[in-house]
Amino acid sequence: MNKPFNHPLFIALKKIAPALAAGNSVIVKPSELAPISVLEFAEMAAEAGIPDGILSVLPGYGRTTGTELVSHPLIRKVDITAGTATGRALGSIVGSNLASFTAELGGKAPILIFDDADILSAVNGAAFASFIASGQTCVSGTRLIIQESVYDAFMELFLEKVVSITRRMGNPMNPQSTMGSIISPHHLRRIDETVRRRSSGTILAGGEPMRGTSTLDGFDFSQGSFYPPTVIADVEIEDGVWKEEVFGPSGLQCICFKDEEHGISLANYCQYGLGAGIWTKDLSRAHRVAERLESGLVWVNTHHRNDPSSPWGGMKESGIGRENGIEALEAYSQSKSVTVNTAAPEESRVKDDWFSEQPNGKRYG
C-alpha cells in the first residue's frame, strides 16, 4: 500500500482494515512527507495483538522504496492513493506481475450551483469543498460552475467568504486560524507556477504565496509554505489550469452555465472523474444530474462526506477499483470454486465411467 501525505492515517486505515479483515498480510509505504502517524499506529496495532509480520510499515521514497515493493513477485495486491502519473507508472509494473491493482488517483471536482440552490448554504459548502485541508485533497472542489442567473449573487458572497478565510489565516497551532500550510516548499512552488502560467482567466482573490505576518496573530508566514484561497474567473476550458490537478487552494476556477445540459457538459469536460458536487433544492434534478456526471462520487448539498459503507473511487483517469464497503473487502479477496461429487460410489461407478466398454457408453466430443 502506497499512501499519500494528505490524511495520512485516515487513508491508510480505510485500506488496512479490509485487507486485514480478508486475511492478508500488509506492507504500508507511507508518504515520506508524513510517515509518523502510520508508524505510531503500527506500534499500537502490535500492542493490541496483531501478530508480528502481519502489518508492516516501510518508510521511504516512492521512486525507490515504493517501486521496489510493487515490483516484488510475492506482492499479489497493490493499493495506492497517488497522482495519475504515479498510478500509470506503478500500474505498468503491477500489470507485468499479473497482480491485482486498486488506484485512487487525481481529481478535479466540479461543483454545480443551480439557480434554485440556497445561496448561503452553497457558498459555505463550496468554500468547504475547495479550501479544507488547504485544498490538498483529491476531491477538492476546483471548478465552480454556477448558473448564470445566480452567478453575481453567489460570487459576491463567495468572495466575501474567501476574504474572511484569508484574513484569519495564521499560526497553524492557533485554533482560530482558518487554513494551514501547503505540505512543502516544493509543492508551494508548483502551485504558484501553475497559476502563473495559465493562459486565461482573471484572479479575483489570492494568486501568490503569502508573505509578511498574519493579521490574526502576527504569525510569520515565512515559517511555512502558505498560499491563500485563490479564485480565478472566466478561465477557458482548454486552459491547463481548468484541466490539471493543482492540489492546493489555488485551483478554484469559476464559470457560469446556461442550463442543465450546459452545466453537465462543462463538469464532464475533464480527464478526471473522482468527485463532484451538486447544489439544488430539486432532488429529482439532483439524481438526474448525478447519473450523468462522469464521477465515481457525487455529493448533493454537501461535500467531502465519507460513509465507510459507501464505495469510494473514480472514473476516467481518476483510478481503478473502489475503497470502502463490501467492494473493498472483495478487492482484497479471491473467489474460489470447489466442486464435490456427493453420489454414492456405486452410482459413480456406473454414471461416471465416460470410457465404459458397455454399449451406449457416454461420448464426449
Side-chain angles (χ1 to χ4, degrees), residues 108 143 236-237 239-244 253 255 266 269:
K108 193 76 175 174
R143 296 180 292 142
E236 296 176 2
I237 61 175
D239 198 323
V241 76
W242 176 269
K243 295 182 175 181
E244 298 171 9
Q253 300 91 53
I255 194 170
L266 288 171
Y269 195 73

Side-chain angles (χ1 to χ4, degrees), residues 6-7 104-111 128-130 132 135-142 245 247 273-277 297 299 303-305 312-313:
N6 64 324
H7 314 301
E104 195 241 83
L105 306 177
K108 193 76 175 174
I111 309 295
F128 174 65
S130 303
I132 195 72
Q136 297 171 109
T137 78
C138 49
V139 292
S140 284
T142 57
E245 184 181 40
F247 220 67
L274 186 55
L297 304 156
W299 289 279
H303 207 86
H304 284 300
R305 308 302 182 187
W312 178 287

Side-chain angles (χ1 to χ4, degrees), residues 217-234:
D217 55 18
F219 178 77
D220 182 0
F221 287 122
S222 68
Q223 299 301 306
S225 301
F226 290 86
Y227 202 96
T230 295
V231 181
I232 308 173
D234 303 321

Side-chain angles (χ1 to χ4, degrees), residues 25-303:
S25 296
V26 176
I27 303 174
V28 181
K29 206 267 336 151
S31 168
E32 63 272 18
L33 299 173
I36 295 176
S37 60
V38 181
L39 286 165
E40 292 194 357
F41 170 76
E43 292 181 0
M44 296 168 62
E47 292 174 1
I50 298 292
D52 290 345
I54 298 300
L55 175 61
S56 304
V57 178
L58 186 60
Y61 291 102
R63 64 180 178 273
T64 52
T65 306
T67 301
E68 286 296 321
L69 273 175
V70 302
S71 300
H72 199 286
L74 290 181
I75 301 295
R76 304 314 307 152
K77 166 78 177 179
V78 173
D79 190 329
I80 68 168
T81 298
T84 298
T86 300
R88 290 185 191 278
L90 295 182
S92 64
I93 298 172
V94 176
S96 68
N97 286 337
L98 299 180
S100 298
F101 189 46
T102 296
E104 195 241 83
L105 306 177
K108 193 76 175 174
I111 309 295
L112 283 161
I113 313 291
F114 284 96
D115 57 6
D116 68 332
D118 180 78
I119 296 299
L120 186 56
S121 296
V123 165
N124 293 335
F128 174 65
S130 303
F131 304 129
I132 195 72
S134 302
Q136 297 171 109
T137 78
C138 49
V139 292
S140 284
T142 57
R143 296 180 292 142
L144 269 180
I145 304 171
I146 309 151
Q147 196 151 16
E148 58 186 6
S149 60
V150 295
Y151 182 87
D152 291 340
F154 177 89
M155 289 302 297
E156 181 180 358
L157 292 176
F158 187 72
L159 288 172
E160 289 178 4
K161 174 67 72 173
V162 169
V163 169
S164 172
I165 294 170
T166 306
R167 185 180 65 249
R168 292 176 293 128
M169 289 178 65
N171 189 332
M173 301 302 291
N174 182 349
Q176 302 303 315
S177 180
T178 52
M179 209 171 76
S181 174
I182 303 302
I183 187 64
S184 72
H186 168 74
H187 286 76
L188 179 66
R189 287 191 298 271
R190 178 180 175 273
I191 289 169
D192 191 39
E193 290 168 1
T194 301
V195 173
R196 290 180 182 277
R197 71 168 181 263
R198 77 188 192 285
S199 58
S200 66
T202 302
I203 294 177
L204 302 182
E208 60 181 12
M210 300 186 75
R211 300 177 177 86
T213 57
S214 165
T215 59
L216 174 71
D217 55 18
F219 178 77
D220 182 0
F221 287 122
S222 68
Q223 299 301 306
S225 301
F226 290 86
Y227 202 96
T230 295
V231 181
I232 308 173
D234 303 321
V235 171
E236 296 176 2
I237 61 175
E238 296 297 337
D239 198 323
V241 76
W242 176 269
K243 295 182 175 181
E244 298 171 9
E245 184 181 40
V246 180
F247 220 67
S250 64
L252 184 61
Q253 300 91 53
C254 301
I255 194 170
C256 63
F257 69 94
K258 297 178 181 178
D259 54 26
E260 187 174 302
E261 189 71 26
H262 186 209
I264 293 170
S265 67
L266 288 171
N268 286 337
Y269 195 73
C270 182
Q271 68 266 38
Y272 298 111
L274 186 55
I278 300 169
W279 289 83
T280 179
K281 294 176 183 175
D282 184 343
L283 287 183
S284 294
R285 168 192 275 164
H287 283 290
R288 184 172 63 246
V289 173
E291 183 178 6
R292 295 186 59 194
L293 289 179
E294 295 169 354
S295 298
L297 304 156
V298 180
W299 289 279
V300 177
N301 297 331
T302 188
H303 207 86

